[in-house]
Amino acid sequence: MDRGRLRVYLGAAPGVGKTYAMLDEGHRRLERGTDLVVGYVETHGRPKTERGVEGLEVVPRRRIDYRGTIQEEMDLAAILERRPEVVLVDELAHTNVPGSTHEKRWQDVEALLDAGIEVITTVNIQHLESLNDVTESITGVRQRETVPDQVVRAADQIELVDMSPQALRRRMAHGNIYTAEKIDAALSRYFREGNLTALRELALLWLADRVDEGLERYRDEHEIESTWATRERIVVPVSGGPESSTLMRRAARIATRRSGGEWQALYVTRQDGLTGISPDQLTRLAAKAEELGGTFHTVVGDDAAEAILSFARAENATQVVIGASRRGRISTLLRPGVGERVVTGSGDIDVHIVTHDYARRSSLRPAVDNLGPRRRLAGLVFGVVVPGVLSGLLYLTADLHGLPIEAMSLMVVVVATALIGGLAPAIVAAIVSALMLNYLFTPPLYTLTIAEPENVVTISIFVAVGIAVATVVDNAARRTAQAMSARAEADALTVLAHSLLTSADDTAGLLSSACRLFNATGAAVVRREPSGAETVVASCGTPPASVERADMSAAIDDHSTLVLAGATLPASERGLLNAYAAYAKVMAERRAATVAEVERLRLTEVDRTRTALLAAVSHDLRNPLAAAKVAVASLRNGEVDWSPQDEAELLQTIEESTDRLTALVANLLDMSRINTGSVSVALAEVDLGEAVRASLAPLAGSERIEVATPADVLVLADAGLLDRVLANICENALKYTPESAQVRIDATVAGDRAILRVADTGPGVTDHDQARLFAPFQRLGDVPQQDGVGLGLAVARGFTEAMGGTITTEETPGGGLTFVLELPALPHPTAAPASDLSEAR
């Protein structure tokens, strides 16, 4: 089944006539015999709109009971069952009443389209999701009902229903939009002329962009490469040089001369990546383009002129703004520059050559010398000595060869000199070889004069070819060195990127890596305090004493600097050092984020504890206080003659309430001690069996606890803290164990640990709940609110860990939960020998 078509009537504001235009289109379709129905139309009580619905089949609305009132919505199911060819649906951004098939009306429309039904709908520009903030800043009203932009963009046809702000205000004043009591407020607020003008412009620009997208699709489908000047689009190539800002400002001025004009800055980088500007310069260019209202783009291409023209044609650009060449006139005559080639190949694109202060000034920096002074000197010696030696050998064997062999042999020396010492020694070798060739092998011999014109040409060609070959060889050698350097830098950056993704926060490791890579004797991260003093945050090796004394440095941020000692880099290779600085900055930001997250979690826990504590104070402490107060007031009431039984019950209530208060306050104080780390522990030898029995004695329901602990298990613990731990665990077990069931306690010794198990047969806990079982203020399962504040197990764990033990949980076989308490065990005293006992008697 084919998907239905979507037609949207777009308006800048309510009242422009979207619904009326939709109904008018419905009548036209109906007259042509189209099966059309009205799915939903909101007339807002406007007479013309109501008359527009007349004569059209209307699908009855669905009535939904929502919070005691009957709401009407579009009946999607009825329309799908009716299956018309076309359906009219008003207010695309409308939010449906809860209980509807979909949350939003545009989702209903999507369902109709999926069913193959054509939909005609309406929407205002302020309801588009991407423009919601913009329209709010214009009108001061935030639209809560929005529709995703892609829904409207996907429409097969979008028609703007336009009206001037003045005409719309007149329509409002005549009562054609709102009722009389709303007109004055609307005209003075939302329907101000400035608001309507801005919304109208917003709608026109949004629709123009959609038209532009359609035009680009049409050009691509029909493979149209020529420029269609539907609007001014300007491309300004930049090189990163000082004139780049001038060119971008000029392009911005040209673009603003016509409404809707736009401009784009373009940087072309070579495919080999060996030459180009630094990432920092690219960032500055992009920021400048954005500041001036343009966009920044980067393309890859070895032929800059061809890359510029290809980009301009792809963007349907009408103009190219390019700077005047910084090359000299002679260089331009010998080899046309980028600007000249752009003009030649521009075709129907206008090209502006903009002069600037740096025109005809070469921007070429001296080539990076990858050869040391020793190699240059060796090449120079080789280029002077070897041609003479080789010429002597060729002279001694002159009968075996002619001038071509002699010339080619000396040419090999020139190439070898270029490989050893670079271009300058090779030029010297070419001149020396030409002189030797003239002196020893060109008649008349042993003079620098040349008799035959042919030999003059030969020697001249020899010198020219020698210099040209030397230049090529020297360039190839330099490019090879640059490529090797770039590969090493890329490998180092790869290691850095991998470390950034996988490694921990290891500043010392980063500094060690920098020392190894740059062959430095020391490195450090130095932070400058507000007072001006410098502090070393991290270091390795023998770092420089300050930033000023560093051999190399790179800024990490406004206050920190990466410094190295014992190493230097040329300016062209400082990008890798900047990458290390950037990595150090990321590590610092990661540390700051970790600290902030820890602090956030701490504050969250403090806030949760405070909230729980307030809840405990407001409920768990208030209830026993209220019960005790009522009992005391009843006993003091002289007007009532209480029987001895009644008095006993009231006294028991007072006692139970005070016991609960005592237990609650004790747990709160204990938790406070644990959180502040002020638990005082006095470890001593404790008989575990006696400790268990002592803790159970005052515990209500202790008769339901079965104790099976050996009598000779000794542990290293604090007797008072252990009593609290055992009481809290047993009280929790009794709370969750049915009245008819038993709680079992047993103990064993495993090596140097004593293990006590308290097993209940209650409902147990899930794996998820076990993770928060010992957290403060936790009540798991169906526990009455008056049964404590959820601190018993948290206090038990805190005291156990303070004594050097652990407390965990495991599932009780057959159902329930078992608490496992482990404490350091002590060896039992060995019984005295019998002979000693008899002597003692």
Side-chain angles (χ1 to χ4, degrees):
M1 180 186 298
D2 294 336
R3 180 178 168 86
R5 293 174 57 83
L6 176 63
R7 180 171 183 172
V8 177
Y9 284 96
L10 176 68
V16 295
K18 305 179 301 300
T19 304
Y20 191 83
M22 178 184 70
L23 293 172
D24 192 40
E25 175 65 18
H27 281 285
R28 284 196 296 270
R29 297 285 188 96
L30 192 63
E31 290 173 358
R32 294 198 299 264
T34 304
D35 182 13
L36 179 143
V37 300
V38 175
Y40 189 95
V41 167
E42 187 61 67
T43 64
H44 297 286
R46 300 166 189 167
K48 289 186 178 180
T49 307
E50 292 175 349
R51 288 196 296 270
V53 179
E54 295 175 1
L56 299 176
E57 179 185 347
V58 179
V59 176
R61 299 180 182 181
R62 180 185 177 190
R63 298 169 62 85
I64 300 175
D65 186 0
Y66 178 66
R67 294 183 177 179
T69 61
I70 301 299
Q71 304 288 337
E72 293 185 344
E73 293 290 354
M74 182 176 72
D75 195 336
L76 177 62
I79 297 173
L80 292 174
E81 184 179 358
R82 167 70 172 75
R83 294 197 63 81
E85 295 180 41
V86 181
V87 60
L88 307 183
V89 181
D90 203 8
E91 297 184 351
L92 182 63
H94 172 74
T95 300
N96 293 328
V97 173
S100 303
T101 307
H102 299 108
E103 180 185 359
K104 296 286 188 177
R105 183 164 293 164
W106 63 263
Q107 295 172 319
D108 294 337
V109 168
E110 288 291 316
L112 294 172
L113 295 173
D114 291 338
I117 301 172
E118 182 177 351
V119 178
I120 303 176
T121 186
T122 66
V123 70
N124 279 330
I125 192 67
Q126 65 265 31
H127 292 294
L128 295 181
E129 181 65 41
S130 66
L131 301 178
N132 193 254
D133 293 339
V134 180
T135 57
E136 181 185 8
S137 65
I138 294 172
T139 64
V141 178
R142 185 169 188 83
Q143 300 294 334
R144 300 188 181 277
E145 295 184 329
T146 59
V147 59
D149 285 46
Q150 62 266 25
V151 173
V152 183
R153 284 181 178 175
D156 299 277
Q157 185 175 352
I158 303 175
E159 183 173 334
L160 179 65
V161 182
D162 189 32
M163 179 176 289
S164 69
Q166 296 80 6
L168 185 57
R169 283 172 59 84
R170 284 196 300 270
R171 177 179 287 185
M172 171 68 74
H174 293 159
N176 294 328
I177 301 176
Y178 291 164
T179 56
E181 62 272 12
K182 297 180 180 179
I183 292 176
D184 290 339
L187 289 175
S188 61
R189 295 177 184 172
Y190 193 91
F191 282 80
R192 294 197 302 267
E193 187 170 335
N195 289 359
L196 298 177
T197 301
L199 291 173
R200 185 189 189 198
E201 181 180 6
L202 201 60
L204 290 169
L205 290 175
W206 189 89
L207 188 60
D209 288 338
R210 304 293 76 75
V211 172
D212 198 49
E213 291 175 1
L215 177 62
E216 290 301 318
R217 286 196 300 269
Y218 180 85
R219 285 166 52 85
D220 291 340
E221 291 170 0
H222 293 79
E223 299 180 354
I224 299 173
E225 296 184 358
S226 61
T227 301
W228 287 7
T230 54
R231 71 164 71 179
E232 290 295 342
R233 288 189 180 87
I234 302 166
V235 173
V236 50
V238 293
S239 64
E243 78 284 355
S244 298
S245 296
T246 301
L247 298 178
M248 287 191 287
R249 281 192 290 268
R250 178 61 62 86
R253 288 197 298 271
I254 295 174
T256 56
R257 291 173 185 170
R258 288 186 59 182
S259 178
E262 60 185 38
W263 67 275
Q264 300 164 314
L266 176 67
Y267 177 76
V268 181
T269 182
R270 290 177 58 90
Q271 290 184 350
D272 55 21
L274 298 179
T275 59
I277 61 178
S278 67
D280 289 341
Q281 288 176 289
L282 277 177
T283 302
R284 286 194 292 271
L285 285 175
K288 188 66 175 179
E290 184 177 355
E291 176 187 341
L292 294 172
T295 57
F296 186 80
H297 304 267
T298 302
V299 297
V300 178
D302 289 332
D303 188 337
E306 183 60 32
I308 292 169
L309 290 173
S310 297
F311 179 84
R313 293 191 181 97
E315 294 296 320
N316 198 26
T318 57
Q319 302 180 49
V320 173
V321 176
I322 195 166
S325 177
R326 291 184 294 182
R327 302 165 64 219
R329 290 183 175 84
I330 296 178
S331 176
T332 302
L333 290 174
L334 294 176
R335 186 168 63 91
V338 175
E340 288 78 6
R341 285 183 288 142
V342 168
V343 172
T344 302
S346 61
D348 53 0
I349 302 176
D350 297 336
V351 180
H352 299 266
I353 303 294
V354 178
T355 186
H356 50 83
D357 294 339
Y358 304 92
R360 301 302 178 188
R361 298 182 188 177
S362 176
S363 64
L364 296 177
R365 293 173 293 182
V368 178
D369 193 354
N370 299 104
L371 305 175
R374 291 186 178 181
R375 284 193 59 180
R376 289 198 302 273
L377 180 60
L380 184 62
V381 172
F382 185 89
V384 173
V385 175
V386 174
V389 174
L390 180 61
S391 298
L393 293 176
L394 292 173
Y395 177 76
L396 295 176
T397 58
D399 296 337
L400 302 177
H401 46 73
L403 185 60
I405 296 297
E406 295 151 357
M408 289 301 99
S409 300
L410 291 173
M411 182 65 69
V412 172
V413 175
V414 174
V415 173
T417 304
L419 290 173
I420 296 173
L423 180 60
I427 293 175
V428 173
I431 295 174
V432 172
S433 298
L435 293 175
M436 298 302 297
L437 195 64
N438 179 23
Y439 189 80
L440 295 177
F441 305 108
T442 304
L445 302 179
Y446 316 123
T447 67
L448 296 179
T449 59
I450 302 175
E452 298 292 336
E454 179 181 347
N455 292 336
V456 174
V457 175
T458 301
I459 293 177
S460 300
I461 293 176
F462 174 85
V463 173
V465 171
I467 294 176
V469 171
T471 301
V472 173
V473 172
D474 179 69
N475 287 336
R478 292 181 187 277
R479 287 295 176 87
T480 301
Q482 290 174 351
M484 294 176 64
S485 175
R487 179 173 180 177
E489 183 173 339
D491 291 341
L493 290 174
T494 301
V495 173
L496 272 180
H498 183 267
S499 301
L500 183 63
L501 293 173
T502 60
S503 68
D505 184 7
D506 186 11
T507 305
L510 175 69
L511 296 177
S512 299
S513 174
C515 288
R516 291 192 300 270
L517 181 65
F518 299 115
N519 197 25
T521 58
V525 174
V526 178
R527 180 175 179 82
R528 184 179 294 274
E529 304 297 338
S531 61
E534 293 182 348
T535 304
V536 176
V537 178
S539 65
C540 75
T542 307
S546 64
V547 176
E548 289 74 15
R549 297 184 181 181
D551 295 314
M552 291 193 302
S553 65
I556 297 175
D557 53 33
D558 295 338
H559 306 288
S560 302
T561 306
L562 173 65
V563 296
L564 283 82
T568 57
L569 281 177
S572 60
E573 298 181 10
R574 290 185 61 86
L576 191 55
L577 179 62
N578 292 332
Y580 269 83
Y583 185 26
K585 180 179 180 180
V586 171
M587 295 179 72
E589 292 174 346
R590 181 186 294 171
R591 283 195 301 272
T594 302
V595 171
E597 178 64 13
V598 170
E599 179 65 13
R600 186 191 67 80
L601 293 175
R602 186 189 70 81
L603 293 176
T604 302
E605 181 64 22
V606 169
D607 184 66
R608 190 181 66 83
T609 303
R610 183 185 297 112
T611 303
L613 182 59
L614 290 174
V617 171
S618 64
H619 184 277
D620 296 280
L621 294 181
R622 184 175 58 190
N623 285 352
L625 279 174
K629 180 177 175 58
V630 169
V632 170
S634 299
L635 289 173
R636 293 184 62 184
N637 190 349
E639 299 179 359
V640 180
D641 186 13
W642 300 103
S643 65
Q645 182 179 358
D646 292 336
E647 289 182 357
E649 291 180 357
L650 291 173
L651 290 173
Q652 183 180 359
T653 300
I654 295 172
E655 184 179 7
E656 290 176 352
S657 298
T658 53
D659 288 342
R660 286 176 59 194
L661 282 173
T662 302
L664 290 172
V665 172
N667 278 336
L668 288 171
L669 293 176
D670 290 340
M671 200 68 234
S672 175
R673 291 163 57 200
I674 292 171
N675 287 336
T676 57
S678 57
V679 178
S680 178
V681 181
L683 297 177
E685 179 183 293
V686 178
D687 187 303
L688 186 58
E690 294 181 359
V692 170
R693 285 186 287 273
S695 64
L696 295 182
L699 194 63
S702 59
E703 67 277 1
R704 295 193 292 120
I705 299 179
E706 178 185 350
V707 181
T709 58
D712 55 353
V713 178
L714 301 179
V715 296
L716 184 64
D718 183 300
L721 299 183
L722 181 58
D723 181 75
R724 293 295 311 282
V725 170
L726 294 173
N728 287 354
I729 293 176
C730 293
E731 183 181 6
N732 183 85
L734 287 171
K735 186 185 304 180
Y736 288 92
T737 300
E739 293 287 344
S740 59
Q742 295 283 320
V743 175
R744 178 178 175 79
I745 300 178
D746 59 44
T748 58
V749 177
D752 60 349
R753 306 290 286 181
I755 303 174
L756 180 77
R757 286 181 168 82
V758 180
D760 65 49
T761 55
V765 297
T766 63
D767 293 339
H768 172 72
D769 287 337
Q770 285 192 24
R772 58 191 184 97
L773 189 64
F774 295 96
F777 304 105
Q778 295 293 328
R779 293 191 187 94
L780 304 182
D782 187 15
V783 181
Q785 287 293 321
Q786 64 269 20
D787 287 358
V789 293
L791 286 175
L793 295 182
V795 170
R797 166 168 280 187
F799 282 175
T800 302
E801 292 176 350
M803 294 185 292
T806 61
I807 182 170
T808 57
T809 60
E810 61 185 28
E811 186 177 352
T812 301
L817 187 68
T818 298
F819 289 91
V820 182
L821 176 66
E822 293 189 21
L823 291 169
L826 295 176
H828 194 275
T830 305
S835 59
D836 294 341
L837 294 174
S838 61
E839 291 178 2
R841 294 190 185 96

